[in-house]
Amino acid sequence: MGKRKADVRLTRRGRVLAWSAGVLCVGVLGVAGAGTWIYQQLNGNITSADVDDKIGGDRPENLSPGSKNIMIVGSDSRDGANSGYGNNKDLTTMQSDTLLVLHIPADRKWASVLSFPRDSWVRIPACDKGNGAKSEEHHFKINEAFALGGTSGEVAGAAACSIKTVEENTGLRIDHFMSVDFSGFKGMVDALEGIEVCPKTAIRSPKAKLNLPAGCQTIDGETSLGYVRARYGVGDNSDIGRIGRQQEFMDALAKKAKSKLGSPDAMYGFLNAATKSLTTDPDMAGIKPLYSLASELQGIPSDRLSFLTVPNYPREADVPTDRANVVWQYPQAADLFTALAKDQETTKDALAAKTKNLVYASAVKVKVLNGTGVSGRAAAVAEKLRANGFTVVSTGNAPSTVSTTSVQYAQGADDTGARALMTRLGGKVTAAASGEASAGVVNLVVGPDLKVDDLY
């Protein structure tokens, strides 16, 4: 299999959701002087969901007081208005296909929008499913967290599980969340009297109920739902093609919304639909906090707003049987999370430069040493490492028992492989040069603090 470079761009679907938030902010700023009745109506449309009691107390520390991390989830529900589009067989009413974190630093001079690929293979923590049951900790696609937590159909549980998953895998403290239901498109589009789209080829998609000729045309809200959902029967049937159409659609929607700022009726209809599709935590549930957020974002120069994607590569490079998922590129992903947690600005170009040195897990040769004194511990860890693509060259016992797990690399050697292993282990594992390590091989000294299930 040919190994591909990491993708460090914001996914097009991520740009769609970023545009959604941006378009909403444009509208909110536009109604700043609206009458009390309109203000109260829009304010009451926004659904509030309290997640604090569902997340638990074991959360990352806020390393930069005054900064904000806002998790934005795009709900891909096929319930209600969405039910007629696409293949609904495997979908519940709590589905998410887009996950972003908007980081606003304490000084408000820059901002980053960090996109998480929906097929990211991560650790999903145990979550309250909302139906009296609790899921077990396991590894799977990151977007499963929203579905698990939302088993009962409540956004609060879905958002809480997504927050726990992001926090556990990144170390970032999430301060607020916004869930945007894409079904709100229909009302938004109709309020703007349609959106012009320009497909290069005709679209014939029975599943999406679409039959559009090639060329530019204005489509209404009902058709727009099918347009942004369509995948099969369009082009190469890929999700990439669908994401591209969604990005173009949202670009057109944003421009049309801006052109209608002087039309009170259009903007009211647009915002009425948009706010009805929005669910947030209690502190963000209202026009006033959204206006405050919009004002902060408006003051950030466009060249200081970075659209980033967690650096990743196909998991197939490490696990040949897995052609459906991606894994995050370490140690670069961990460095990116740490930088944001500490309010350190990272540009797209800087991230691209750092991710050029791509280290696959399969390229890291590991010697596993049991430092726990418990028989069989090295073998169990080695088995899990192999299952996740690492090359285990041998197992054995450490010279003595240890209290914490550590990673060792040869004196004078490059530490990239060691750090790639270290940052995949979960918890606070250290890496250091050691005379115990051989050239080209990384020693993993297993302590009692390392859980086998932490390895991925």
Side-chain angles (χ1 to χ4, degrees):
M1 182 205 70
K3 294 182 178 180
R4 288 165 280 178
K5 293 182 179 180
D7 182 2
V8 296
R9 299 170 297 167
L10 178 69
T11 63
R12 288 187 177 94
R13 190 181 300 269
R15 287 188 182 277
V16 167
L17 191 56
W19 265 122
S20 298
V23 170
L24 180 60
C25 287
V26 167
V28 168
L29 290 171
V31 298
T36 301
W37 178 83
I38 293 178
Y39 180 91
Q40 291 177 341
Q41 171 75 21
L42 297 177
N43 203 65
N45 284 344
I46 302 171
T47 301
S48 173
D50 194 348
V51 300
D52 287 346
D53 62 339
K54 299 178 183 297
I55 297 177
D58 187 16
R59 304 183 63 188
E61 179 185 356
N62 185 348
L63 300 180
S64 52
S67 66
K68 292 180 183 177
N69 285 317
I70 303 173
M71 186 187 78
I72 307 173
V73 180
S75 174
D76 197 27
S77 166
R78 299 289 163 79
D79 191 33
N82 292 325
S83 61
Y85 302 94
N87 184 354
N88 306 330
K89 181 176 62 176
D90 299 323
L91 292 177
T92 69
T93 59
M94 289 282 102
Q95 292 287 327
S96 166
D97 67 350
T98 309
L99 180 63
L100 310 172
V101 169
L102 168 62
H103 178 81
I104 305 175
D107 64 12
R108 304 299 191 264
K109 293 182 178 179
W110 56 275
S112 292
V113 178
L114 180 61
S115 174
F116 296 82
R118 64 176 182 170
D119 294 333
S120 296
W121 186 261
V122 299
R123 185 170 49 253
I124 309 291
C127 291
D128 182 353
K129 299 171 72 174
N131 60 357
K134 195 167 187 176
S135 65
E136 294 184 357
E137 182 174 310
H138 63 288
H139 289 84
F140 205 71
K141 298 176 187 289
I142 196 168
N143 67 331
E144 188 201 34
F146 197 79
L148 275 178
T151 300
S152 66
E154 297 294 329
V155 175
C161 192
S162 290
I163 290 172
K164 289 179 67 174
T165 299
V166 169
E167 289 190 340
E168 183 167 321
N169 286 275
T170 69
L172 292 171
R173 172 77 177 225
I174 302 300
D175 302 295
H176 304 286
F177 86 88
M178 299 171 64
S179 175
V180 182
D181 186 345
F182 284 127
S183 67
F185 280 173
K186 180 177 178 179
M188 294 163 69
V189 171
D190 286 339
L192 299 176
E193 301 178 334
I195 298 296
E196 185 180 58
V197 297
C198 300
K200 294 181 180 179
T201 60
I203 298 178
R204 304 284 187 267
S205 179
K207 288 185 177 180
K209 299 184 178 181
L210 277 183
N211 187 5
L212 296 179
C216 294
Q217 58 209 282
T218 298
I219 59 176
D220 62 14
E222 184 72 21
T223 306
S224 72
L225 279 177
Y227 185 79
V228 299
R229 297 287 187 198
R231 174 176 178 178
Y232 299 104
V234 186
D236 61 359
N237 297 321
S238 73
D239 191 54
I240 298 301
R242 174 169 60 181
I243 292 170
R245 287 190 303 279
Q246 289 182 344
Q247 182 187 30
E248 292 167 1
F249 182 86
M250 289 306 299
D251 283 342
L253 182 67
K255 291 175 182 177
K256 191 71 174 284
K258 289 180 180 179
S259 74
K260 293 287 187 178
L261 285 177
S263 172
D265 289 344
M267 286 313 300
Y268 169 73
F270 172 82
L271 282 172
N272 191 42
T275 50
K276 283 182 178 179
S277 69
L278 188 64
T279 301
T280 75
D281 61 275
D283 290 339
M284 290 288 290
I287 295 297
K288 185 175 181 179
L290 288 178
Y291 180 84
S292 177
L293 173 62
S295 298
E296 290 179 346
L297 294 175
Q298 190 179 44
I300 295 173
S302 60
D303 61 349
R304 300 291 297 277
L305 176 61
S306 298
F307 292 93
L308 310 172
T309 295
V310 179
N312 64 88
Y313 62 87
R315 191 167 182 255
E316 184 183 2
D318 297 330
V319 183
T321 56
D322 186 354
R323 298 186 177 185
N325 300 297
V326 299
V327 290
W328 295 347
Q329 180 181 341
Y330 287 101
Q332 291 87 349
D335 292 343
L336 173 60
F337 303 146
T338 298
L340 291 177
K342 294 182 177 180
D343 248 5
Q344 298 169 354
E345 185 175 8
T346 298
T347 66
K348 184 172 68 173
D349 290 343
L351 181 60
K354 291 178 181 178
T355 54
K356 284 183 178 179
N357 185 17
L358 174 56
V359 177
Y360 297 103
S362 55
V364 181
K365 297 179 180 179
V366 185
K367 181 179 181 180
V368 183
L369 301 175
N370 185 359
T372 67
V374 179
S375 179
R377 187 67 170 167
V381 171
E383 180 180 3
K384 192 63 179 284
L385 287 175
R386 289 191 185 100
N388 285 280
F390 287 94
T391 301
V392 178
V393 297
S394 65
T395 61
N397 292 318
S400 59
T401 58
V402 297
S403 58
T404 58
T405 301
S406 64
V407 174
Q408 304 170 343
Y409 58 95
Q411 297 280 359
D414 189 302
D415 69 346
T416 304
R419 294 184 65 230
L421 173 62
M422 175 193 74
T423 49
R424 285 177 184 261
L425 296 179
K428 297 180 180 179
V429 179
T430 60
S434 171
E436 300 294 325
S438 304
V441 177
V442 174
N443 287 355
L444 173 59
V445 183
V446 180
D449 59 323
L450 180 64
K451 298 189 298 181
V452 175
D453 287 342
D454 282 341
L455 304 173
Y456 66 98

